[in-house]
Amino acid sequence: MCSVAGNEQCYCPECHRTTVVVVDHATGDTICTECALVLEERYIDETSEWRTFSDAGSGEDRDPNRVGGCSDPFLAHAELGTVVAPAKRQAKDTAAAASLPHVRVDSKSGQDSSLAVAFRAISDMADRLQLVATIRDRAKELFKKMEEAKLCARVRNRDAAYAACLHIACRNEGNPRTLKELASVMRDCQDKKEIGRMERIIRRHLGEEAGTAMEMGVVRAADYMSRFGSRLGMGKPEVREAQRAAQTLEDKLDVRRNPESIAAAIIYMVVQRAGAQTSARDVSKASGVAEATIKEACKELSQHEELLFSS
């Protein structure tokens, strides 16, 4: 069985560029979706083990599922716990067993408990955004640094802190998400301005602590093309054309607009050139950029259309 590893992309030496890959769970191979070249072998599944022992024991109180969660390297102590209690049948037969107290031995400290809650929330948001494990783990590492720097005590909205960590991690891994996308997976206050505010706090305080400017990946319009194009059902040739146009714009023009607006405008120009029945409203829904902004950016870029689509 094959599955797309989120939006994971790898450099393919056969295609000579970065392509989307799939993981074959039967063989453990990571395969390029365009030329079918096996890029990696023996993929390691890091998710929890799940095994069912359907023939073991009987009775209504039998739990056939024995599962152990994978350990989290960002916690000082593994999430281990032991519950000592008498079995129902033994309790009826043995008075000594009936007097055995219920004891729980938990190795987690208070800080680890707080981090565990935060890490579950970050993982949930990452899953809903279909982010790869490297981005999720980088966001966890960043939040742990916040906890150690005592920044979390000043945070009013913890969801905004989780989203800000994910936003920074996405940029650093070259797979950016818009603030609007991150706000959509927050549970309480879906305010992208709050995410931006938290991001500035994180960058300022953690950067000062390290004595250097905090590393932030450069976001380019081409980084959004694959995801926006996929939502619109664009073919690979059209997506590649949009990526080339975005690269040409970056190399030869100076357009003072944010990357997602440029990406949405170029995609709209590409679909219009292809004669597709895709409206600016459709592109707006796929990209999260306002319809009016897309039209304004298209009007500005139309002056350079010959340059952008000459190759």
Side-chain angles (χ1 to χ4, degrees), residues 30-45:
T30 302
I31 306 168
C32 173
T33 56
E34 299 196 13
C35 67
L37 179 70
V38 176
L39 302 178
E40 294 180 8
E41 296 179 321
R42 299 178 182 175
Y43 171 83
I44 299 175
D45 188 353

Side-chain angles (χ1 to χ4, degrees), residues 32-305:
C32 173
T33 56
E34 299 196 13
C35 67
L37 179 70
V38 176
L39 302 178
E40 294 180 8
E41 296 179 321
R42 299 178 182 175
Y43 171 83
I44 299 175
D45 188 353
E46 298 179 350
T47 57
S48 302
E49 178 190 14
W50 188 272
R51 300 166 61 197
T52 300
F53 297 81
S54 56
D55 298 330
S58 61
E60 294 181 359
D61 59 339
R62 177 178 59 84
D63 181 11
N65 298 314
R66 302 175 187 176
V67 60
C70 56
S71 61
D72 196 323
F74 298 102
L75 294 175
H77 304 284
E79 294 186 57
L80 300 176
T82 302
V83 177
V84 181
K88 291 182 180 179
R89 292 179 182 176
Q90 292 177 342
K92 293 179 181 178
D93 299 336
T94 309
S99 62
L100 192 64
H102 291 243
V103 180
R104 179 171 180 83
V105 181
D106 200 337
S107 64
K108 290 189 293 184
S109 65
Q111 184 183 22
D112 272 2
S113 298
S114 175
L115 284 175
V117 171
F119 290 169
R120 281 195 295 270
I122 289 173
S123 295
D124 179 61
M125 294 171 76
D127 289 341
R128 292 167 66 184
L129 288 169
Q130 296 183 321
L131 300 176
V132 295
T134 51
I135 294 176
R136 179 199 63 206
D137 291 344
R138 186 179 281 266
K140 287 182 179 181
E141 182 182 6
L142 190 57
F143 187 85
K144 187 173 183 179
K145 289 180 180 179
M146 284 181 60
E147 186 78 28
E148 292 169 349
K150 308 298 182 183
L151 283 179
C152 294
R154 312 178 200 177
V155 174
R156 291 175 296 178
N157 186 341
R158 293 183 74 87
D159 271 7
Y162 307 150
C165 289
L166 280 170
H167 189 247
I168 295 172
C170 286
R171 291 188 57 162
N172 287 339
E173 291 295 323
N175 196 355
R177 292 294 189 274
T178 63
L179 291 177
K180 190 171 183 178
E181 288 177 292
L182 286 158
S184 69
V185 297
M186 290 171 60
R187 290 171 297 183
D188 302 324
C189 177
Q190 297 185 346
D191 185 1
K192 62 182 183 180
K193 291 183 180 179
E194 184 67 17
I195 301 174
R197 189 185 72 83
M198 276 305 310
E199 184 178 328
R200 289 191 293 273
I201 291 174
I202 293 169
R203 291 170 59 186
R204 182 172 67 251
H205 286 276
L206 296 188
E208 287 175 357
E209 190 173 274
T212 57
M214 188 174 180
E215 181 185 352
M216 290 290 291
V218 178
V219 180
R220 297 178 171 86
D223 296 333
Y224 293 104
M225 295 303 183
S226 294
R227 193 165 72 258
F228 291 173
S230 175
R231 292 174 182 171
L232 287 167
M234 293 172 61
K236 291 178 182 177
E238 287 82 9
V239 172
R240 284 196 289 267
E241 184 181 9
Q243 289 173 332
R244 284 195 298 269
Q247 189 62 49
T248 301
L249 184 146
E250 183 179 345
D251 294 340
K252 300 182 179 181
L253 297 174
D254 183 19
V255 178
R256 304 299 176 89
R257 288 186 177 272
N258 60 47
E260 52 263 37
S261 298
I262 293 174
I266 289 177
I267 283 179
Y268 183 58
M269 293 172 72
V270 168
V271 295
Q272 291 299 304
R273 285 167 58 87
Q277 299 298 317
T278 303
S279 65
R281 180 173 296 180
D282 296 329
V283 178
S284 175
K285 289 179 180 178
S287 62
V289 179
E291 187 177 346
T293 303
I294 294 173
K295 290 180 177 179
E296 288 175 7
C298 281
K299 185 177 180 180
E300 185 177 347
L301 296 180
S302 62
Q303 305 171 22
H304 311 286
E305 185 171 358

